[in-house]
Amino acid sequence: MTTTTEAPPHDGAWFDALFTAHAAAVHRYFVRRLASSRDDAEDLAAEVLATAWRRRDDVPVGGELPWLYRTAGFVLANHRRKVRALPVAVVPDEPDDVDPADLALGDDRVRAVLARLSVRDRRILLLVAWDGLGGDDLAAVLGVTRGGADAALSRARARLRTAWAQAGRVPDDVDRAPEGAPAAHRAARAADDEA
């Protein structure tokens, strides 16, 4: 006799819990990536959540936030294809609500270095640094294995180090292994430094 464990139903209560747990994170995802308009960030976050409701049976139990971030990446890409560029002169000098992420983007050197990276490297670094994703969640967002996500993050960090060095400024924490990183990760960092 075979028994199967069914996933909880993706009903209104499920969506209410999803919204309560993750709506703010999805909104922050867009706020950090759209300097032009907080209204756009709200609209795009709503679009992601509406997609989660429409495709609720596709949202994996326990992997809701990575699924939302992956969907947000697609929604943002579509939005950027539709919107024309915002001249730098229109971007306000001071943000309304001071968010460390906004302050970091206000730094011309940070912006210049990030611009040197590929879209994929920027996305990986920002998902880890701004959105706080760990290895398994990053893998889910990227649609790769955990090892693939770790390798992609390592390569993105290496290219960030190179870009900072070319810009003439290397932050102190770029070469530091993340807290809780396995010994192999720290050893690989040390080997990179010796090479």
Side-chain angles (χ1 to χ4, degrees):
M1 179 174 184
T2 305
T3 59
T4 58
T5 306
E6 289 187 32
H10 286 80
D11 56 10
W14 168 85
F15 184 75
D16 289 345
L18 175 92
F19 185 90
T20 300
H22 303 302
V26 172
H27 182 256
R28 282 192 307 269
Y29 177 94
F30 289 112
V31 167
R32 290 175 179 144
R33 288 160 178 83
L34 293 171
S36 60
S37 170
R38 289 196 185 257
D39 290 337
D40 284 347
E42 288 175 12
D43 291 344
L44 296 176
E47 185 176 337
V48 168
L49 293 165
T51 301
W53 174 250
R54 279 193 315 272
R55 297 191 51 209
R56 59 190 170 271
D57 292 333
D58 296 336
V59 179
V61 175
E64 292 88 354
L65 186 58
W67 189 93
L68 291 168
Y69 280 146
R70 184 174 174 88
T71 303
F74 295 132
V75 168
L76 182 61
N78 289 337
H79 174 74
R80 286 186 171 151
R81 280 192 285 271
K82 295 179 204 171
V83 179
R84 64 180 179 86
L86 177 70
V88 175
V90 177
V91 176
D93 291 333
E94 291 294 322
D96 293 336
D97 299 319
V98 179
D99 178 350
D102 291 338
L103 292 176
L105 283 179
D107 186 331
D108 289 337
R109 290 175 289 187
V110 172
R111 236 180 308 175
V113 170
L114 286 174
R116 291 180 182 184
L117 300 176
S118 70
V119 171
R120 180 177 166 85
D121 284 347
R122 263 193 316 271
R123 181 176 185 219
I124 290 167
L125 293 168
L126 297 179
L127 282 168
V128 170
W130 281 352
D131 299 312
L133 291 187
D136 291 332
D137 290 340
L138 181 63
V141 171
L142 298 176
V144 298
T145 64
R146 169 66 191 262
D150 290 344
L153 178 59
S154 178
R155 288 189 300 270
R157 284 179 173 159
R159 288 189 277 267
L160 177 63
R161 267 195 310 278
T162 301
W164 274 111
Q166 290 171 349
R169 175 180 168 208
V170 179
D172 297 334
D173 63 345
V174 167
D175 288 323
R176 225 176 34 213
E179 221 170 281
H185 182 74
R186 289 192 298 274
R189 271 298 156 98
D192 280 349
D193 291 342
E194 292 173 9

mmCIF file of all heavy atoms in Angstrom, residues 118-168:
data_model
loop_
_atom_site.group_PDB
_atom_site.id
_atom_site.type_symbol
_atom_site.label_atom_id
_atom_site.label_comp_id
_atom_site.label_asym_id
_atom_site.label_seq_id
_atom_site.Cartn_x
_atom_site.Cartn_y
_atom_site.Cartn_z
ATOM 1 N N SER A 118 28.611 41.874 -16.080
ATOM 2 C CA SER A 118 27.520 41.400 -16.923
ATOM 3 C C SER A 118 26.205 41.480 -16.146
ATOM 4 O O SER A 118 26.207 41.555 -14.918
ATOM 5 C CB SER A 118 27.770 39.950 -17.353
ATOM 6 O OG SER A 118 27.626 39.087 -16.233
ATOM 7 N N VAL A 119 25.112 41.444 -16.872
ATOM 8 C CA VAL A 119 23.794 41.479 -16.233
ATOM 9 C C VAL A 119 23.664 40.304 -15.268
ATOM 10 O O VAL A 119 23.170 40.459 -14.147
ATOM 11 C CB VAL A 119 22.674 41.444 -17.296
ATOM 12 C CG1 VAL A 119 21.319 41.268 -16.665
ATOM 13 C CG2 VAL A 119 22.718 42.704 -18.148
ATOM 14 N N ARG A 120 24.118 39.129 -15.670
ATOM 15 C CA ARG A 120 24.033 37.935 -14.810
ATOM 16 C C ARG A 120 24.851 38.110 -13.535
ATOM 17 O O ARG A 120 24.373 37.809 -12.446
ATOM 18 C CB ARG A 120 24.482 36.705 -15.578
ATOM 19 C CG ARG A 120 24.419 35.424 -14.749
ATOM 20 C CD ARG A 120 24.820 34.212 -15.592
ATOM 21 N NE ARG A 120 25.082 33.038 -14.810
ATOM 22 C CZ ARG A 120 24.150 32.190 -14.407
ATOM 23 N NH1 ARG A 120 22.893 32.392 -14.723
ATOM 24 N NH2 ARG A 120 24.471 31.120 -13.697
ATOM 25 N N ASP A 121 26.100 38.608 -13.654
ATOM 26 C CA ASP A 121 26.926 38.800 -12.462
ATOM 27 C C ASP A 121 26.290 39.814 -11.515
ATOM 28 O O ASP A 121 26.261 39.610 -10.300
ATOM 29 C CB ASP A 121 28.332 39.272 -12.846
ATOM 30 C CG ASP A 121 29.191 38.149 -13.404
ATOM 31 O OD1 ASP A 121 28.805 36.972 -13.283
ATOM 32 O OD2 ASP A 121 30.255 38.465 -13.972
ATOM 33 N N ARG A 122 25.780 40.918 -12.075
ATOM 34 C CA ARG A 122 25.106 41.923 -11.233
ATOM 35 C C ARG A 122 23.927 41.302 -10.509
ATOM 36 O O ARG A 122 23.733 41.497 -9.310
ATOM 37 C CB ARG A 122 24.604 43.091 -12.087
ATOM 38 C CG ARG A 122 25.510 44.272 -12.121
ATOM 39 C CD ARG A 122 24.843 45.502 -12.705
ATOM 40 N NE ARG A 122 24.056 45.291 -13.894
ATOM 41 C CZ ARG A 122 24.516 45.345 -15.128
ATOM 42 N NH1 ARG A 122 25.789 45.587 -15.353
ATOM 43 N NH2 ARG A 122 23.705 45.161 -16.155
ATOM 44 N N ARG A 123 23.136 40.543 -11.245
ATOM 45 C CA ARG A 123 21.941 39.918 -10.658
ATOM 46 C C ARG A 123 22.336 38.990 -9.516
ATOM 47 O O ARG A 123 21.732 39.014 -8.436
ATOM 48 C CB ARG A 123 21.185 39.150 -11.739
ATOM 49 C CG ARG A 123 19.935 38.495 -11.234
ATOM 50 C CD ARG A 123 19.182 37.835 -12.366
ATOM 51 N NE ARG A 123 17.918 37.312 -11.883
ATOM 52 C CZ ARG A 123 17.405 36.174 -12.272
ATOM 53 N NH1 ARG A 123 18.014 35.450 -13.187
ATOM 54 N NH2 ARG A 123 16.270 35.757 -11.778
ATOM 55 N N ILE A 124 23.338 38.166 -9.724
ATOM 56 C CA ILE A 124 23.777 37.218 -8.702
ATOM 57 C C ILE A 124 24.263 37.962 -7.461
ATOM 58 O O ILE A 124 23.858 37.654 -6.336
ATOM 59 C CB ILE A 124 24.880 36.296 -9.262
ATOM 60 C CG1 ILE A 124 24.270 35.337 -10.290
ATOM 61 C CG2 ILE A 124 25.593 35.537 -8.154
ATOM 62 C CD1 ILE A 124 25.290 34.596 -11.133
ATOM 63 N N LEU A 125 25.123 38.942 -7.651
ATOM 64 C CA LEU A 125 25.671 39.675 -6.514
ATOM 65 C C LEU A 125 24.589 40.426 -5.744
ATOM 66 O O LEU A 125 24.595 40.456 -4.512
ATOM 67 C CB LEU A 125 26.761 40.644 -6.990
ATOM 68 C CG LEU A 125 28.030 39.973 -7.527
ATOM 69 C CD1 LEU A 125 28.908 40.981 -8.241
ATOM 70 C CD2 LEU A 125 28.787 39.281 -6.402
ATOM 71 N N LEU A 126 23.641 41.023 -6.455
ATOM 72 C CA LEU A 126 22.592 41.779 -5.788
ATOM 73 C C LEU A 126 21.604 40.866 -5.075
ATOM 74 O O LEU A 126 21.099 41.213 -4.001
ATOM 75 C CB LEU A 126 21.878 42.694 -6.784
ATOM 76 C CG LEU A 126 22.766 43.775 -7.409
ATOM 77 C CD1 LEU A 126 21.972 44.616 -8.394
ATOM 78 C CD2 LEU A 126 23.436 44.647 -6.361
ATOM 79 N N LEU A 127 21.315 39.708 -5.641
ATOM 80 C CA LEU A 127 20.439 38.762 -4.959
ATOM 81 C C LEU A 127 21.049 38.315 -3.633
ATOM 82 O O LEU A 127 20.348 38.133 -2.642
ATOM 83 C CB LEU A 127 20.153 37.544 -5.843
ATOM 84 C CG LEU A 127 19.127 37.754 -6.950
ATOM 85 C CD1 LEU A 127 19.156 36.583 -7.935
ATOM 86 C CD2 LEU A 127 17.729 37.951 -6.381
ATOM 87 N N VAL A 128 22.358 38.154 -3.604
ATOM 88 C CA VAL A 128 23.028 37.730 -2.378
ATOM 89 C C VAL A 128 23.188 38.907 -1.420
ATOM 90 O O VAL A 128 22.838 38.820 -0.238
ATOM 91 C CB VAL A 128 24.399 37.088 -2.700
ATOM 92 C CG1 VAL A 128 25.215 36.853 -1.447
ATOM 93 C CG2 VAL A 128 24.190 35.780 -3.455
ATOM 94 N N ALA A 129 23.689 40.043 -1.930
ATOM 95 C CA ALA A 129 23.996 41.179 -1.053
ATOM 96 C C ALA A 129 22.746 41.932 -0.604
ATOM 97 O O ALA A 129 22.616 42.261 0.572
ATOM 98 C CB ALA A 129 24.953 42.134 -1.770
ATOM 99 N N TRP A 130 21.845 42.232 -1.514
ATOM 100 C CA TRP A 130 20.676 43.030 -1.165
ATOM 101 C C TRP A 130 19.521 42.201 -0.663
ATOM 102 O O TRP A 130 18.826 42.575 0.275
ATOM 103 C CB TRP A 130 20.186 43.813 -2.372
ATOM 104 C CG TRP A 130 20.970 45.035 -2.678
ATOM 105 C CD1 TRP A 130 21.959 45.594 -1.927
ATOM 106 C CD2 TRP A 130 20.826 45.856 -3.822
ATOM 107 N NE1 TRP A 130 22.436 46.696 -2.539
ATOM 108 C CE2 TRP A 130 21.760 46.887 -3.714
ATOM 109 C CE3 TRP A 130 20.000 45.811 -4.932
ATOM 110 C CZ2 TRP A 130 21.889 47.886 -4.660
ATOM 111 C CZ3 TRP A 130 20.131 46.805 -5.874
ATOM 112 C CH2 TRP A 130 21.065 47.818 -5.738
ATOM 113 N N ASP A 131 19.284 41.079 -1.317
ATOM 114 C CA ASP A 131 18.097 40.298 -0.990
ATOM 115 C C ASP A 131 18.391 39.176 -0.006
ATOM 116 O O ASP A 131 17.475 38.479 0.413
ATOM 117 C CB ASP A 131 17.469 39.750 -2.278
ATOM 118 C CG ASP A 131 17.048 40.890 -3.198
ATOM 119 O OD1 ASP A 131 16.388 41.825 -2.704
ATOM 120 O OD2 ASP A 131 17.386 40.858 -4.391
ATOM 121 N N GLY A 132 19.667 38.985 0.333
ATOM 122 C CA GLY A 132 20.035 38.037 1.367
ATOM 123 C C GLY A 132 19.824 36.574 1.027
ATOM 124 O O GLY A 132 19.665 35.753 1.916
ATOM 125 N N LEU A 133 19.852 36.238 -0.250
ATOM 126 C CA LEU A 133 19.655 34.833 -0.623
ATOM 127 C C LEU A 133 20.893 34.008 -0.295
ATOM 128 O O LEU A 133 22.017 34.451 -0.479
ATOM 129 C CB LEU A 133 19.358 34.701 -2.114
ATOM 130 C CG LEU A 133 18.023 35.235 -2.601
ATOM 131 C CD1 LEU A 133 17.821 34.857 -4.055
ATOM 132 C CD2 LEU A 133 16.873 34.736 -1.767
ATOM 133 N N GLY A 134 20.644 32.801 0.175
ATOM 134 C CA GLY A 134 21.706 31.841 0.412
ATOM 135 C C GLY A 134 21.867 30.947 -0.803
ATOM 136 O O GLY A 134 21.168 31.107 -1.813
ATOM 137 N N GLY A 135 22.748 29.980 -0.706
ATOM 138 C CA GLY A 135 23.082 29.121 -1.833
ATOM 139 C C GLY A 135 21.921 28.368 -2.449
ATOM 140 O O GLY A 135 21.745 28.364 -3.667
ATOM 141 N N ASP A 136 21.095 27.715 -1.621
ATOM 142 C CA ASP A 136 19.977 26.934 -2.167
ATOM 143 C C ASP A 136 18.943 27.839 -2.837
ATOM 144 O O ASP A 136 18.426 27.518 -3.907
ATOM 145 C CB ASP A 136 19.308 26.104 -1.066
ATOM 146 C CG ASP A 136 20.206 24.970 -0.577
ATOM 147 O OD1 ASP A 136 21.049 24.500 -1.371
ATOM 148 O OD2 ASP A 136 20.065 24.577 0.596
ATOM 149 N N ASP A 137 18.640 28.963 -2.190
ATOM 150 C CA ASP A 137 17.664 29.885 -2.769
ATOM 151 C C ASP A 137 18.209 30.531 -4.042
ATOM 152 O O ASP A 137 17.482 30.715 -5.011
ATOM 153 C CB ASP A 137 17.264 30.960 -1.759
ATOM 154 C CG ASP A 137 16.426 30.397 -0.614
ATOM 155 O OD1 ASP A 137 15.843 29.309 -0.788
ATOM 156 O OD2 ASP A 137 16.362 31.045 0.448
ATOM 157 N N LEU A 138 19.491 30.877 -4.041
ATOM 158 C CA LEU A 138 20.103 31.440 -5.239
ATOM 159 C C LEU A 138 20.033 30.425 -6.386
ATOM 160 O O LEU A 138 19.703 30.791 -7.518
ATOM 161 C CB LEU A 138 21.554 31.843 -4.975
ATOM 162 C CG LEU A 138 22.300 32.466 -6.148
ATOM 163 C CD1 LEU A 138 21.648 33.784 -6.571
ATOM 164 C CD2 LEU A 138 23.766 32.691 -5.791
ATOM 165 N N ALA A 139 20.302 29.181 -6.070
ATOM 166 C CA ALA A 139 20.223 28.124 -7.096
ATOM 167 C C ALA A 139 18.817 28.041 -7.671
ATOM 168 O O ALA A 139 18.639 27.918 -8.887
ATOM 169 C CB ALA A 139 20.649 26.783 -6.500
ATOM 170 N N ALA A 140 17.816 28.144 -6.812
ATOM 171 C CA ALA A 140 16.427 28.064 -7.278
ATOM 172 C C ALA A 140 16.087 29.251 -8.175
ATOM 173 O O ALA A 140 15.428 29.089 -9.206
ATOM 174 C CB ALA A 140 15.475 28.008 -6.090
ATOM 175 N N VAL A 141 16.546 30.435 -7.804
ATOM 176 C CA VAL A 141 16.265 31.625 -8.615
ATOM 177 C C VAL A 141 16.941 31.529 -9.974
ATOM 178 O O VAL A 141 16.358 31.872 -11.000
ATOM 179 C CB VAL A 141 16.708 32.914 -7.883
ATOM 180 C CG1 VAL A 141 16.624 34.116 -8.800
ATOM 181 C CG2 VAL A 141 15.857 33.145 -6.638
ATOM 182 N N LEU A 142 18.175 31.037 -9.981
ATOM 183 C CA LEU A 142 18.932 30.939 -11.230
ATOM 184 C C LEU A 142 18.530 29.726 -12.061
ATOM 185 O O LEU A 142 18.880 29.640 -13.242
ATOM 186 C CB LEU A 142 20.430 30.886 -10.939
ATOM 187 C CG LEU A 142 21.029 32.106 -10.241
ATOM 188 C CD1 LEU A 142 22.505 31.867 -9.941
ATOM 189 C CD2 LEU A 142 20.840 33.360 -11.064
ATOM 190 N N GLY A 143 17.849 28.783 -11.439
ATOM 191 C CA GLY A 143 17.461 27.574 -12.163
ATOM 192 C C GLY A 143 18.629 26.639 -12.404
ATOM 193 O O GLY A 143 18.688 25.973 -13.437
ATOM 194 N N VAL A 144 19.562 26.594 -11.439
ATOM 195 C CA VAL A 144 20.735 25.724 -11.550
ATOM 196 C C VAL A 144 20.874 24.926 -10.254
ATOM 197 O O VAL A 144 20.131 25.131 -9.299
ATOM 198 C CB VAL A 144 22.030 26.545 -11.808
ATOM 199 C CG1 VAL A 144 21.937 27.292 -13.127
ATOM 200 C CG2 VAL A 144 22.321 27.511 -10.676
ATOM 201 N N THR A 145 21.857 24.038 -10.206
ATOM 202 C CA THR A 145 22.123 23.275 -8.988
ATOM 203 C C THR A 145 22.802 24.171 -7.962
ATOM 204 O O THR A 145 23.287 25.261 -8.288
ATOM 205 C CB THR A 145 23.055 22.084 -9.277
ATOM 206 O OG1 THR A 145 24.332 22.598 -9.701
ATOM 207 C CG2 THR A 145 22.462 21.155 -10.328
ATOM 208 N N ARG A 146 22.874 23.692 -6.731
ATOM 209 C CA ARG A 146 23.551 24.450 -5.668
ATOM 210 C C ARG A 146 25.016 24.673 -6.038
ATOM 211 O O ARG A 146 25.557 25.758 -5.883
ATOM 212 C CB ARG A 146 23.419 23.697 -4.340
ATOM 213 C CG ARG A 146 24.286 24.217 -3.203
ATOM 214 C CD ARG A 146 23.871 25.623 -2.782
ATOM 215 N NE ARG A 146 24.819 26.230 -1.890
ATOM 216 C CZ ARG A 146 24.703 26.262 -0.572
ATOM 217 N NH1 ARG A 146 23.669 25.715 0.011
ATOM 218 N NH2 ARG A 146 25.617 26.844 0.158
ATOM 219 N N GLY A 147 25.665 23.635 -6.568
ATOM 220 C CA GLY A 147 27.064 23.780 -6.990
ATOM 221 C C GLY A 147 27.216 24.810 -8.094
ATOM 222 O O GLY A 147 28.164 25.592 -8.102
ATOM 223 N N GLY A 148 26.265 24.814 -9.025
ATOM 224 C CA GLY A 148 26.290 25.809 -10.100
ATOM 225 C C GLY A 148 26.113 27.216 -9.566
ATOM 226 O O GLY A 148 26.768 28.159 -10.026
ATOM 227 N N ALA A 149 25.228 27.365 -8.575
ATOM 228 C CA ALA A 149 25.017 28.689 -7.976
ATOM 229 C C ALA A 149 26.260 29.150 -7.224
ATOM 230 O O ALA A 149 26.664 30.308 -7.325
ATOM 231 C CB ALA A 149 23.814 28.662 -7.037
ATOM 232 N N ASP A 150 26.888 28.233 -6.475
ATOM 233 C CA ASP A 150 28.115 28.580 -5.757
ATOM 234 C C ASP A 150 29.217 28.992 -6.727
ATOM 235 O O ASP A 150 29.946 29.967 -6.497
ATOM 236 C CB ASP A 150 28.589 27.404 -4.898
ATOM 237 C CG ASP A 150 27.684 27.149 -3.701
ATOM 238 O OD1 ASP A 150 26.875 28.034 -3.348
ATOM 239 O OD2 ASP A 150 27.787 26.046 -3.119
ATOM 240 N N ALA A 151 29.335 28.255 -7.824
ATOM 241 C CA ALA A 151 30.362 28.580 -8.823
ATOM 242 C C ALA A 151 30.061 29.922 -9.483
ATOM 243 O O ALA A 151 30.969 30.738 -9.677
ATOM 244 C CB ALA A 151 30.432 27.475 -9.877
ATOM 245 N N ALA A 152 28.791 30.168 -9.804
ATOM 246 C CA ALA A 152 28.422 31.440 -10.428
ATOM 247 C C ALA A 152 28.695 32.605 -9.486
ATOM 248 O O ALA A 152 29.196 33.653 -9.907
ATOM 249 C CB ALA A 152 26.945 31.418 -10.830
ATOM 250 N N LEU A 153 28.402 32.429 -8.201
ATOM 251 C CA LEU A 153 28.674 33.480 -7.219
ATOM 252 C C LEU A 153 30.169 33.712 -7.082
ATOM 253 O O LEU A 153 30.632 34.858 -7.040
ATOM 254 C CB LEU A 153 28.052 33.116 -5.867
ATOM 255 C CG LEU A 153 28.303 34.103 -4.730
ATOM 256 C CD1 LEU A 153 27.766 35.494 -5.078
ATOM 257 C CD2 LEU A 153 27.661 33.592 -3.439
ATOM 258 N N SER A 154 30.939 32.645 -7.055
ATOM 259 C CA SER A 154 32.391 32.771 -6.951
ATOM 260 C C SER A 154 32.961 33.525 -8.159
ATOM 261 O O SER A 154 33.795 34.426 -8.007
ATOM 262 C CB SER A 154 33.030 31.386 -6.846
ATOM 263 O OG SER A 154 34.427 31.485 -6.797
ATOM 264 N N ARG A 155 32.494 33.170 -9.361
ATOM 265 C CA ARG A 155 32.971 33.866 -10.565
ATOM 266 C C ARG A 155 32.536 35.337 -10.557
ATOM 267 O O ARG A 155 33.313 36.213 -10.935
ATOM 268 C CB ARG A 155 32.462 33.157 -11.818
ATOM 269 C CG ARG A 155 33.140 31.833 -12.092
ATOM 270 C CD ARG A 155 32.762 31.264 -13.454
ATOM 271 N NE ARG A 155 31.335 31.021 -13.599
ATOM 272 C CZ ARG A 155 30.717 29.899 -13.299
ATOM 273 N NH1 ARG A 155 31.417 28.876 -12.820
ATOM 274 N NH2 ARG A 155 29.422 29.764 -13.476
ATOM 275 N N ALA A 156 31.308 35.592 -10.117
ATOM 276 C CA ALA A 156 30.831 36.979 -10.071
ATOM 277 C C ALA A 156 31.659 37.793 -9.091
ATOM 278 O O ALA A 156 32.017 38.950 -9.364
ATOM 279 C CB ALA A 156 29.348 37.022 -9.698
ATOM 280 N N ARG A 157 31.980 37.207 -7.954
ATOM 281 C CA ARG A 157 32.815 37.913 -6.966
ATOM 282 C C ARG A 157 34.218 38.173 -7.527
ATOM 283 O O ARG A 157 34.798 39.234 -7.303
ATOM 284 C CB ARG A 157 32.906 37.109 -5.677
ATOM 285 C CG ARG A 157 31.647 37.192 -4.854
ATOM 286 C CD ARG A 157 31.755 36.368 -3.601
ATOM 287 N NE ARG A 157 30.616 36.582 -2.742
ATOM 288 C CZ ARG A 157 30.237 35.736 -1.805
ATOM 289 N NH1 ARG A 157 30.905 34.607 -1.611
ATOM 290 N NH2 ARG A 157 29.187 36.010 -1.062
ATOM 291 N N ALA A 158 34.770 37.203 -8.251
ATOM 292 C CA ALA A 158 36.100 37.385 -8.835
ATOM 293 C C ALA A 158 36.076 38.522 -9.856
ATOM 294 O O ALA A 158 36.979 39.363 -9.895
ATOM 295 C CB ALA A 158 36.568 36.088 -9.490
ATOM 296 N N ARG A 159 35.033 38.562 -10.672
ATOM 297 C CA ARG A 159 34.934 39.642 -11.662
ATOM 298 C C ARG A 159 34.695 40.989 -10.973
ATOM 299 O O ARG A 159 35.165 42.026 -11.441
ATOM 300 C CB ARG A 159 33.856 39.320 -12.682
ATOM 301 C CG ARG A 159 34.305 38.197 -13.626
ATOM 302 C CD ARG A 159 33.353 37.991 -14.785
ATOM 303 N NE ARG A 159 32.224 37.159 -14.477
ATOM 304 C CZ ARG A 159 32.168 35.845 -14.671
ATOM 305 N NH1 ARG A 159 33.204 35.199 -15.192
ATOM 306 N NH2 ARG A 159 31.083 35.172 -14.388
ATOM 307 N N LEU A 160 33.978 40.972 -9.849
ATOM 308 C CA LEU A 160 33.793 42.211 -9.075
ATOM 309 C C LEU A 160 35.134 42.695 -8.530
ATOM 310 O O LEU A 160 35.441 43.888 -8.614
ATOM 311 C CB LEU A 160 32.813 41.980 -7.929
ATOM 312 C CG LEU A 160 32.590 43.175 -6.989
ATOM 313 C CD1 LEU A 160 31.971 44.345 -7.742
ATOM 314 C CD2 LEU A 160 31.709 42.756 -5.815
ATOM 315 N N ARG A 161 35.945 41.776 -7.997
ATOM 316 C CA ARG A 161 37.282 42.149 -7.513
ATOM 317 C C ARG A 161 38.099 42.790 -8.625
ATOM 318 O O ARG A 161 38.752 43.814 -8.438
ATOM 319 C CB ARG A 161 38.015 40.912 -6.994
ATOM 320 C CG ARG A 161 37.871 40.652 -5.542
ATOM 321 C CD ARG A 161 38.896 39.631 -5.033
ATOM 322 N NE ARG A 161 38.968 38.409 -5.805
ATOM 323 C CZ ARG A 161 38.140 37.380 -5.677
ATOM 324 N NH1 ARG A 161 37.163 37.430 -4.808
ATOM 325 N NH2 ARG A 161 38.290 36.299 -6.415
ATOM 326 N N THR A 162 38.061 42.178 -9.807
ATOM 327 C CA THR A 162 38.815 42.705 -10.948
ATOM 328 C C THR A 162 38.316 44.092 -11.334
ATOM 329 O O THR A 162 39.103 45.003 -11.565
ATOM 330 C CB THR A 162 38.696 41.742 -12.151
ATOM 331 O OG1 THR A 162 39.215 40.465 -11.756
ATOM 332 C CG2 THR A 162 39.442 42.263 -13.353
ATOM 333 N N ALA A 163 36.999 44.247 -11.378
ATOM 334 C CA ALA A 163 36.425 45.546 -11.745
ATOM 335 C C ALA A 163 36.786 46.612 -10.721
ATOM 336 O O ALA A 163 37.105 47.752 -11.081
ATOM 337 C CB ALA A 163 34.904 45.434 -11.894
ATOM 338 N N TRP A 164 36.758 46.266 -9.435
ATOM 339 C CA TRP A 164 37.150 47.234 -8.397
ATOM 340 C C TRP A 164 38.614 47.613 -8.543
ATOM 341 O O TRP A 164 38.983 48.782 -8.400
ATOM 342 C CB TRP A 164 36.905 46.665 -7.000
ATOM 343 C CG TRP A 164 35.525 46.872 -6.479
ATOM 344 C CD1 TRP A 164 34.592 45.922 -6.277
ATOM 345 C CD2 TRP A 164 34.909 48.116 -6.117
ATOM 346 N NE1 TRP A 164 33.429 46.485 -5.815
ATOM 347 C CE2 TRP A 164 33.598 47.819 -5.698
ATOM 348 C CE3 TRP A 164 35.336 49.430 -6.104
ATOM 349 C CZ2 TRP A 164 32.717 48.797 -5.268
ATOM 350 C CZ3 TRP A 164 34.453 50.410 -5.670
ATOM 351 C CH2 TRP A 164 33.166 50.091 -5.266
ATOM 352 N N ALA A 165 39.459 46.617 -8.798
ATOM 353 C CA ALA A 165 40.886 46.896 -8.950
ATOM 354 C C ALA A 165 41.124 47.812 -10.148
ATOM 355 O O ALA A 165 41.933 48.745 -10.081
ATOM 356 C CB ALA A 165 41.660 45.590 -9.119
ATOM 357 N N GLN A 166 40.418 47.570 -11.237
ATOM 358 C CA GLN A 166 40.559 48.426 -12.413
ATOM 359 C C GLN A 166 40.045 49.833 -12.135
ATOM 360 O O GLN A 166 40.521 50.791 -12.719
ATOM 361 C CB GLN A 166 39.813 47.825 -13.595
ATOM 362 C CG GLN A 166 40.477 46.578 -14.126
ATOM 363 C CD GLN A 166 39.622 45.860 -15.166
ATOM 364 O OE1 GLN A 166 38.455 46.173 -15.351
ATOM 365 N NE2 GLN A 166 40.218 44.888 -15.833
ATOM 366 N N ALA A 167 39.086 49.956 -11.242
ATOM 367 C CA ALA A 167 38.549 51.273 -10.886
ATOM 368 C C ALA A 167 39.452 51.981 -9.879
ATOM 369 O O ALA A 167 39.219 53.138 -9.554
ATOM 370 C CB ALA A 167 37.132 51.135 -10.324
ATOM 371 N N GLY A 168 40.466 51.271 -9.365
ATOM 372 C CA GLY A 168 41.409 51.899 -8.450
ATOM 373 C C GLY A 168 40.981 51.876 -7.003
ATOM 374 O O GLY A 168 41.553 52.561 -6.183
#
